[in-house]
Amino acid sequence: MSLRRVLRMGDPQLLQVSEPVRNLDSPELLELLADMRETMAALSGAGLAAPQIGVPWRIVIFGTGVPNPRYPEAEIVPATVLINPQLQPLGEQMQQDWEGCLSVPGMRGLVPRYQQLHYRGVDEQGRAIDRRVSGFHARVVQHEVDHLDGILYPMRMTDMSQFGFNEELFPGQGLEDE
Ligand code: NI
């Protein structure tokens, strides 16, 4: 298990479309997931997608089951491994809220996302995941799965005046170092 370097916006690998995982029961997959968990935890991430550490597979992890210091107001999301995800918005309602990304360190932006989401996929043991979620949970899944299609949150923004550095947007809230 090792801490991996998170690629930052500008690295062309973040713009690639990742490949489906075909072999679930591989040692490589388990090692990758261990590295992803360690890296996400070290950086207090809300989630992490495999391409963020340079692995072009359709794998995201998110949630910890406890409150996240980077998003102290957000609801608790269960610790999840989601492989080969499929997303379907439930309804057309969108909601704007602040997002950050470990690949865009020190910044936040106001991003529109679907309010209600149905998502499916499998975990590392091939067990089906099938959830209907809303709010922050739905937002995190949309953000992470976008990474698998080479999309970073600034590419989803509709008002670039609402993009900036944490220190300026949220002074005194302890978000400066992320
Ligand atoms: Ni991200």
Side-chain angles (χ1 to χ4, degrees):
M1 194 164 94
S2 58
L3 198 58
R4 303 279 288 262
R5 189 172 72 85
V6 176
L7 305 180
R8 294 194 301 173
M9 185 168 65
D11 189 309
Q13 292 177 86
L14 290 171
L15 302 177
Q16 289 177 1
V17 176
S18 293
E19 294 289 323
V21 177
R22 305 203 186 281
N23 186 3
L24 282 176
D25 231 352
S26 72
E28 292 88 349
L29 176 60
L30 295 181
E31 195 179 321
L32 170 64
L33 287 169
D35 288 357
M36 287 176 69
R37 286 193 191 94
E38 185 179 348
T39 303
M40 185 179 111
L43 299 170
S44 298
L48 188 71
Q52 289 183 276
I53 58 168
V55 177
W57 289 354
R58 300 190 77 81
I59 302 169
V60 300
I61 65 172
F62 52 86
T64 56
V66 297
N68 186 306
R70 291 177 72 232
Y71 299 91
E73 308 294 318
E75 72 201 67
I76 293 170
V77 178
T80 303
V81 171
L82 184 64
I83 298 171
N84 298 338
Q86 291 184 292
L87 271 51
Q88 185 181 22
L90 296 172
E92 315 233 309
Q93 198 184 347
M94 311 283 287
Q95 194 172 46
Q96 298 261 5
D97 209 345
W98 294 99
E99 291 185 19
C101 180
L102 298 178
S103 295
V104 192
M107 303 190 80
R108 294 268 164 119
L110 204 55
V111 185
R113 298 287 185 188
Y114 290 102
Q115 163 76 23
Q116 314 266 357
L117 182 72
H118 180 199
Y119 70 91
R120 288 175 296 166
V122 293
D123 70 8
E124 69 272 34
Q125 291 166 311
R127 292 177 297 209
I129 294 170
D130 187 329
R131 294 178 182 158
R132 286 171 169 78
V133 299
S134 61
F136 181 71
H137 189 157
R139 175 171 296 275
V140 167
V141 176
Q142 289 169 81
H143 175 117
E144 297 309 329
V145 173
D146 262 356
H147 279 297
L148 308 183
D149 293 319
I151 299 168
L152 299 168
Y153 79 80
M155 297 157 70
R156 292 283 191 197
M157 291 181 62
T158 51
D159 179 357
M160 292 305 287
S161 74
Q162 303 299 302
F163 183 45
F165 292 95
N166 291 330
E167 291 178 6
E168 320 301 339
L169 288 167
F170 305 105
Q173 292 190 29
L175 296 170
E176 292 83 357
D177 298 328
E178 72 178 40

